[in-house]
Amino acid sequence: MAEFDVISKHLIQTYPNDFANFTLGREDIEVLAVIDTEQLTVEAHQTDSLIRVRMGDEEVLVHNEFQTTDSTNPPMERRMAGYIGHAIRQYGLPIYSNVIYLRPNAGQHDTGYYVQAHLDYEITIRYRVIRLIEIEGERVLNAGQSGLIPFTPLMKPPEGVASDAWLHQCIHTARTRPIARSSRADYLAGMVALSELVYESEVISGIIFKEGIMDLIRESSLFQSLTQQSREEAREEGIEQGIEQGVRQRAIEDILEVLEIRFDLSEAHPLSARITAIDDMQHLKQLHRAAIQVPNLEAFQRVLYA
């Protein structure tokens, strides 16, 4: 989800008016600030976006939370109650809160409210559920709201238009919009990355090739940020795997050393090869205790093959 968080936050920071208009369903608003959610206290999970707007004579917060899948631990309604309560305490403003589901099958069972009905203490918190697959994508394309266009491949295609053709239409529209090259590059990169939630990689690659936009996408600061993030995640995963492998290797060596001391087990013995092939750390811990405690090699073999 981290990749899609980066894209969503980048687009909201660049086009806050588009998202405020879209979620509030009105255009008579003035964006005052996009709040840096990185600065929120650590007491609550960081929200995806908070936009401070003036709506009529009133200042309000627009909160958008992006979800690729259903939240189960904790359930979405509990998460939203926490986010909304924290924002109210932090800013003391009315809040218009929304969950935007990206995948077509997500959010179908989200009721849009949290209710506590316990004795005399009733709490009700409501938010709006927005499933992109239920939004008419062509209407968004025609409206020309730049911040929303990267999400159109995840929206409902026009009647009778195949999904691959719809994706091609969305990418072509993004490529031909009369905006600065750097902005076009960024939201083409965002659109392509978001499309991976729904479309096969081969389909996306084929359309990119037809439109001739790969070089443009590579220029994108968003693409470079996502690439760097992927590299860092891969590096961290590699470090973790290296540590795990080192711990596993040490456990195996400890077992073999005990067996060599107690039962004169050689490296060429078949048991040595069998122990070396074990990946399960819990099993290795059990074998180490057994190697220390069993009376003979036959007893150790019974534990090994149990």
Side-chain angles (χ1 to χ4, degrees), residues 101-283:
Y101 286 98
L102 304 182
R103 289 189 190 274
N105 61 346
Q108 298 179 65
H109 305 295
D110 190 337
T111 59
Y113 60 84
Y114 170 85
V115 174
Q116 172 188 290
H118 182 68
L119 298 177
D120 296 325
Y121 292 85
E122 182 176 332
I123 299 172
T124 302
I125 297 177
R126 297 188 181 276
Y127 54 91
R128 184 182 174 200
V129 175
I130 300 174
R131 300 180 63 241
L132 290 187
I133 192 60
E134 297 174 352
I135 303 296
E136 298 287 346
E138 193 166 44
R139 179 177 57 81
V140 175
L141 279 186
N142 294 338
Q145 293 175 308
S146 296
L148 300 177
I149 284 178
F151 293 91
T152 52
L154 310 180
M155 297 179 182
K156 184 178 179 180
E159 192 71 30
V161 176
S163 60
D164 294 3
W166 170 238
L167 176 60
H168 197 167
Q169 182 180 338
C170 294
I171 291 177
H172 180 76
T173 300
R175 182 182 71 79
T176 55
R177 280 184 57 73
I179 60 174
R181 181 180 177 89
S182 59
S183 298
R184 185 186 302 115
D186 273 352
Y187 74 74
L188 273 170
M191 176 179 281
V192 167
L194 289 167
S195 298
E196 293 176 358
L197 288 168
V198 176
Y199 299 89
E200 297 291 338
S201 299
E202 294 78 8
V203 173
I204 299 172
S205 299
I207 295 173
I208 290 174
F209 177 77
K210 288 179 183 178
E211 290 290 323
I213 57 174
M214 193 62 243
D215 288 341
L216 179 61
I217 289 174
R218 287 197 181 105
E219 293 176 15
S220 162
S221 60
L222 179 59
F223 174 82
Q224 292 167 14
S225 174
L226 292 172
T227 301
Q228 179 63 26
Q229 182 184 48
S230 296
R231 288 172 180 163
E232 289 175 358
E233 289 174 353
R235 181 175 62 84
E236 290 175 3
E237 184 178 351
I239 291 172
E240 290 176 1
Q241 289 177 347
I243 293 173
E244 290 176 1
Q245 183 61 25
V247 172
R248 171 182 168 274
Q249 186 60 37
R250 178 58 186 270
I252 291 171
E253 290 173 359
D254 287 346
I255 295 169
L256 294 177
E257 183 179 13
V258 172
L259 294 175
E260 180 186 3
I261 293 171
R262 294 195 66 204
F263 307 120
D264 197 25
L265 185 77
S266 68
E267 290 185 7
H269 195 287
L271 281 182
S272 297
R274 175 69 181 85
I275 295 167
T276 302
I278 296 172
D279 291 324
D280 187 342
M281 281 301 302
Q282 188 62 35
H283 192 194

Side-chain angles (χ1 to χ4, degrees), residues 14-84:
T14 308
Y15 307 99
N17 279 286
D18 290 344
F19 285 91
N21 292 341
F22 171 66
T23 52
L24 291 176
R26 51 193 293 176
E27 298 183 1
D28 59 334
I29 61 173
E30 176 190 357
V31 171
L32 302 176
V34 178
I35 295 173
D36 183 4
T37 56
E38 297 284 350
Q39 300 303 315
L40 296 180
T41 68
V42 295
E43 295 176 23
H45 185 283
Q46 181 182 310
T47 59
D48 281 349
S49 86
L50 283 173
I51 308 172
R52 193 175 194 143
V53 307
R54 178 174 287 112
M55 190 167 60
D57 297 327
E58 185 181 34
E59 283 190 21
V60 304
L61 292 176
V62 180
H63 166 218
N64 293 321
E65 196 70 22
F66 292 88
Q67 281 289 119
T68 54
T69 60
D70 295 304
S71 177
T72 56
N73 188 27
M76 199 66 217
E77 60 269 21
R78 281 175 49 197
R79 283 180 54 191
M80 292 298 286
Y83 298 156
I84 293 168

